[in-house]
Amino acid sequence: MITTPGMRVAKIVAIVLIVVWSVGPIVLGVTTSISTQREVNSIPSHWVPRNPTLQAYRDLLNGSTGQTTGGTVTRGGDFVHAMTNSAEIALGAAALTLIVSTMAAYALGRLRFRLSGAVLALLIGTLVIPIFVIVIGLFQVMANAQLIDTKRGLILVFVATQSPLATWLLYAQVREMPHEPEEAALIDGCRRWQAFVRVVVPQMSSGIAAVAAIIVLSVWGEFLIPLLLTSTMSAKPVTVLITEYVGKYTTNYPILAAAGVLALIPPAVLALVLNKRITGMLAGSS
Amino acid sequence: MRLWRQGEGDRSAREAQILGWLFVVPAVAVVGALILYPLVTGFKQSIRSGGFLFGEKPGYVGLRNYRDVIHDPTSQSAMRHTVEYVLVAVSLEILLGIAVAVTLHRVFRGRGFVLAVLILPWALPSVVSGVLWRRVFDPDNGMLNSVLLQLHVISQPHVWLASGRGAIIYITLVHVWGVLPLISLIFLAGLQSIPEEVYSASAVDGAGPWRQFRYVTLPLLRPSVAIALTVGTLLAISIFDEIYVLNGTALNTRSILIQVYNTTFVTADFAHGTALAFLLAAVTAAFGAIYALALRRATV
């Protein structure tokens, strides 16, 4: 590869641009969240606050009447409640999806049973169904089962939407894994299910961790489905609550930004910690 | 009796039969009940009349709802907007995705850090992306207006999200922000699969960096382009969250999915809402099929 000084400079500029593009909006969110509405509204707007304050976070977490915050009304406790809802839904859905999908991936990859080809085709086939065509029918199914506005209901829905992809990724892993450890366990007198629990699942652990991270990230970011299936704080996730802070005429940017910053911390941390696993899985799966 | 006499081998085969089914039943049940069943009931609604609520006799009406939505001006403008979202998003994603991948392909100090930072926008909820970008486009005092005012490009603040095409481009930009990491990773994987010898051979033949890129890298990236086209199109065609956060259900930026949401859950017209959703799904499936074929041709 020939490299000229000009190309090296171009490359450095490109790298800086990539970092600024990726982090810039997040940094802007943080600086906005520690500003006052007055500084945001001043002309020209202060992009870096002269008097940083945590008032927006206090208004968000403890509640505000809207008189001091330019129309944005927040109720104390709601935001934390929505964050815990999001966490419960994401973790619950991830745990259940992994159980369901690991079992299915093992059965489809290793056990020869009748119609296994048809079951695999059915599960993979659902991957091509866009979620939006099922939401209307789903709304009625959930209403009939009295699962509207419950965390249980949302978890079940996300298990259904996430399982096909999770099963496919884990199935690919099962097919690539060496058979010998399981065979040795079977020869030692293990039953099939014992071999699965004691030998195969530990063998799959790295794939399971990556899939878990992908499910948590994607469920944490879900918006359309919870927008339709929740109505009160008893199940509302943080993505839905945030959109309610967007004012119709004026928006209190510091409060909105504070909510955005707090809601992005869990997925950002997860993505940074597991980034090698996630990038590997994403690049490999597509 | 025979089973007993044949012994171990048969017992384990029978065990595999039973265990196999036991292990797939949960996945099949949950997918059947919450994806396939709603798919069927949804489709049934799309070929039934709206019922008494809309002053009609309940009953099957064939494809009438589909004809209605195709001829409805609001749905038509939503379709046009969706085409614009897809075209702008996909072309930006391909161009920028290749640029990012070429930049980050070779090893340099701090590459791990840049790659980690690169995937952040993908990991964030798209609702949060919208929230982060909102202040940039704020009509009164956004970053875009202050910068352009100070540079004297414009003399008065511009209401960015209220004008037609501009608003669609800004919303698409926010969408691209979240999708670009995924597309860049697809191209990075594509670049990594090109053997180094190809480059050294073309360098011996006297090809400079640009010619190498144009005549070696780009043709060999064709499978990645096909994948990126598919992923980009499927994500942009169902754009919803970014529009909802940045401009609500306003007519000037309404996509097909926003129109489905509005028809179904605001005006409670389930019949036409489902018809439009299934129409979009059919188009999506067609695109998926075309790209799958293109991908096969590109890789063979």
Side-chain angles (χ1 to χ4, degrees):
Chain A
M1 189 76 192
I2 315 155
T3 44
T4 59
M7 278 181 65
R8 287 198 54 183
V9 172
K11 185 170 174 171
I12 291 168
V13 170
I15 291 170
V16 170
L17 282 178
I18 291 171
V19 172
V20 169
W21 159 265
S22 306
V23 202
I26 300 175
V27 173
L28 178 62
V30 173
T31 59
T32 306
S33 73
I34 53 170
S35 303
T36 57
Q37 179 74 346
R38 186 193 299 270
E39 287 208 74
V40 170
N41 282 347
S42 67
I43 295 177
S45 195
H46 296 176
W47 297 97
V48 179
R50 303 198 180 149
N51 307 303
T53 165
L54 291 176
Q55 188 57 39
Y57 289 92
R58 278 192 290 271
D59 284 340
L60 176 68
L61 299 177
N62 303 334
S64 65
T65 55
Q67 281 167 349
T68 51
T69 53
T72 300
V73 181
T74 53
R75 233 177 55 198
D78 271 6
F79 188 79
V80 174
H81 196 165
M83 289 282 277
T84 45
N85 282 348
S86 280
E88 280 176 47
I89 294 164
L91 294 175
L96 274 177
T97 305
L98 285 174
I99 295 173
V100 165
S101 308
T102 309
M103 281 166 40
Y106 168 73
L108 295 167
R110 283 277 169 90
L111 303 174
R112 290 164 179 278
F113 65 98
R114 265 218 252 153
L115 295 177
S116 60
V119 172
L120 182 66
L122 177 89
L123 288 178
I124 304 313
T126 56
L127 275 176
V128 304
I129 301 173
I131 290 308
F132 57 80
V133 290
I134 63 153
V135 288
I136 298 167
L138 190 62
F139 181 79
Q140 289 155 333
V141 172
M142 300 303 277
N144 290 338
Q146 306 206 318
L147 285 170
I148 296 278
D149 206 26
T150 63
K151 280 177 274 195
R152 270 175 307 147
L154 279 179
I155 290 177
L156 276 177
V157 170
F158 292 135
V159 171
T161 59
Q162 299 289 328
S163 285
L165 180 64
T167 305
W168 172 243
L169 293 174
L170 293 171
Y171 169 81
Q173 203 204 1
V174 168
R175 301 286 295 199
E176 282 171 12
M177 276 175 356
H179 289 235
E180 288 75 19
E182 190 191 6
E183 276 159 15
L186 291 175
I187 289 167
D188 286 348
C190 266
R191 306 293 299 261
R192 216 56 213 243
W193 66 268
Q194 289 171 319
F196 168 69
V197 174
R198 289 185 200 158
V199 180
V200 179
V201 171
Q203 248 184 313
M204 294 169 74
S205 58
S206 71
I208 291 177
V211 174
I214 290 176
I215 298 173
V216 169
L217 288 176
S218 114
V219 173
W220 185 276
E222 283 282 351
F223 176 62
L224 177 59
I225 289 176
L227 176 70
L228 300 177
L229 298 184
T230 64
S231 50
T232 69
M233 284 312 301
S234 60
K236 204 177 276 179
V238 68
T239 45
V240 176
L241 185 68
I242 283 183
T243 60
E244 293 170 9
Y245 295 148
V246 176
K248 197 160 181 166
Y249 304 105
T250 56
T251 298
N252 183 297
Y253 280 108
I255 291 182
L256 188 63
V261 168
L262 292 180
L264 71 76
I265 290 174
V269 169
L270 191 59
L272 289 177
V273 170
L274 288 175
N275 95 81
K276 288 231 169 60
R277 288 228 167 107
I278 295 173
T279 46
M281 198 65 141
L282 286 178
S285 69
S286 47
Chain B
M1 278 297 115
R2 261 193 70 220
L3 288 173
W4 177 74
R5 239 180 274 137
Q6 283 197 344
E8 263 323 291
D10 240 34
R11 206 187 97 184
S12 106
R14 215 177 55 219
E15 206 179 0
Q17 284 285 339
I18 298 168
L19 206 60
W21 269 104
L22 277 179
F23 272 20
V24 294
V25 158
V28 171
V30 74
V31 166
L34 296 175
I35 293 191
L36 299 178
Y37 178 72
L39 184 75
V40 174
T41 57
F43 181 70
K44 269 188 173 153
Q45 299 226 15
S46 77
I47 52 173
R48 290 179 71 93
S49 77
F52 295 119
L53 200 58
F54 296 87
E56 289 173 327
K57 272 207 321 254
Y60 287 99
V61 293
L63 295 178
R64 202 191 72 195
N65 295 325
Y66 287 84
R67 270 200 303 278
D68 290 349
V69 261
I70 289 175
H71 292 122
D72 169 48
T74 321
S75 300
Q76 282 175 352
S77 83
M79 290 174 201
R80 267 197 307 276
H81 294 157
T82 306
V83 170
E84 291 172 13
Y85 283 123
V86 171
L87 288 179
V88 178
V90 172
S91 33
L92 278 177
E93 283 159 11
I94 302 273
L95 286 176
L96 295 175
I98 292 179
V100 171
V102 168
T103 309
L104 302 183
H105 173 42
R106 274 161 219 283
V107 183
F108 59 88
R109 261 206 6 234
R111 181 170 180 268
F113 166 77
V114 178
L115 279 178
V117 161
L118 176 74
I119 67 162
L120 270 182
W122 169 81
L124 305 189
S126 36
V127 166
V128 171
S129 313
V131 164
L132 295 175
W133 280 87
R134 229 186 117 86
R135 199 178 155 203
V136 176
F137 303 132
D138 184 89
D140 300 319
N141 212 5
M143 183 175 267
L144 211 54
N145 274 333
S146 0
V147 171
L148 294 181
L149 277 173
Q150 271 164 3
L151 293 176
H152 300 289
V153 178
I154 50 175
S155 55
Q156 270 177 28
H158 191 78
V159 186
W160 295 104
L161 288 168
S163 66
R165 196 137 303 161
I168 284 180
I169 291 175
Y170 306 130
I171 291 174
T172 313
L173 211 58
V174 180
H175 174 80
V176 170
W177 189 68
V179 176
L180 188 60
L182 187 59
I183 306 288
S184 306
L185 288 181
I186 291 171
F187 284 120
L188 260 179
L191 286 180
Q192 246 118 43
S193 68
I194 301 175
E196 196 58 37
E197 297 85 64
V198 183
Y199 288 107
S200 29
S202 70
V204 169
D205 293 342
W210 170 250
R211 288 180 65 89
Q212 274 190 343
F213 176 74
R214 174 67 189 79
Y215 296 103
V216 179
T217 312
L218 223 44
L220 288 173
L221 270 186
R222 263 170 54 196
S224 309
V225 173
I227 297 171
L229 273 174
T230 316
V231 173
T233 306
L234 297 186
L235 289 174
I237 210 168
S238 56
I239 184 168
F240 182 88
D241 304 5
E242 295 89 344
I243 307 175
Y244 189 93
V245 176
L246 286 165
N247 211 20
T249 56
L251 278 167
N252 66 322
T253 53
R254 209 178 259 189
S255 70
I256 295 182
L257 207 47
I258 295 273
Q259 172 71 7
V260 169
Y261 168 81
N262 205 62
T263 311
T264 316
F265 294 98
V266 179
T267 51
D269 184 354
F270 281 54
H272 289 104
T274 44
L276 188 57
F278 273 91
L279 215 53
L280 179 59
V283 176
T284 310
F287 269 114
I290 293 169
Y291 285 140
L293 285 177
L295 181 62
R296 271 186 51 190
R297 281 190 46 198
T299 43
V300 168

